[in-house]
Amino acid sequence: MHEYTSTTRAWGLTCPGLPEEVSRARRWTRDILGASPLAEDAELIASELSANAILHTASGRPAGSFHLALAVSSQVIALSVTDGGGMDGAPKVERPDEEAVHGRGLGMVSALAHRVVVRNSDGAHTVTAELFTSPRPGPGGHPC
C-alpha cells in the first residue's frame, strides 16, 4: 500500500432487536472477514456486543434495533455496535460472581480486542472493539 493512500473498507447492518439477530450478526461478520486470522475473534465480539444491546438497552424492546458497523484496513479491524439507548450509564466491564448468568460479555470483548471504546450519543451507546492486524507502532512511531 502506498503511504499516502488508504484502502479502508466499511460495511453497516441494522438489525431488529430480536435474539435470533445475534446469529445473523455473527454470520455477517464471518462473511465479510472470510479467511482472516481474526475472523473468529471478530465473530465472538459481534455476538457479545449484539447480545448486550438486545439484553440491556431499548434495542431489545418491541420495534427496537441495533446497528453494526465493520471497518477493515491493513492495520485494524474495527467492529462497532450502536444500541437503542434507554440504559442508565455507559456499558462497562463487570466482575460477576461465579453463579451469575450475565455480566461477562464486555469483559470477554475487552480480553479479545486490542482496544475497546465506548461512546455516548443522545442516550445511545456505541461500543467499538478494535483488533490490530499488524503490530502497533511504538511511541513516536508512524503507522506508515
Side-chain angles (χ1 to χ4, degrees):
M1 174 176 13
H2 189 274
E3 67 180 306
Y4 297 115
T5 60
S6 170
T7 57
T8 300
R9 297 183 64 195
W11 296 263
L13 175 69
T14 299
C15 298
L18 303 171
E20 57 265 31
E21 294 299 314
V22 173
S23 62
R24 179 178 177 205
R26 287 181 69 98
R27 279 192 316 275
W28 179 80
T29 303
R30 180 178 52 244
D31 289 348
I32 291 170
L33 295 178
S36 166
L38 297 172
E40 285 186 23
D41 288 349
E43 280 182 65
L44 183 54
I45 289 169
S47 179
E48 290 299 326
L49 295 181
S50 298
N52 283 352
I54 292 169
L55 289 171
H56 303 296
T57 75
S59 294
R61 295 183 188 148
S65 65
F66 61 96
H67 182 78
L68 284 88
L70 182 61
V72 178
S73 74
S74 61
Q75 292 91 20
V76 67
I77 295 171
L79 180 67
S80 300
V81 173
T82 302
D83 64 39
M87 124 183 223
D88 294 332
K92 62 182 188 263
V93 175
E94 296 179 6
R95 307 276 186 247
D97 63 34
E98 292 180 19
E99 303 297 318
V101 176
H102 298 289
R104 293 177 184 81
L106 198 52
M108 192 177 340
V109 169
S110 294
L112 289 170
H114 294 101
R115 180 170 54 187
V116 177
V117 178
V118 179
R119 290 187 185 89
N120 182 12
S121 177
D122 297 323
H125 298 92
T126 299
V127 180
T128 302
E130 297 177 348
L131 299 165
F132 301 131
T133 57
S134 59
R136 293 202 58 183
H142 298 282
C144 299

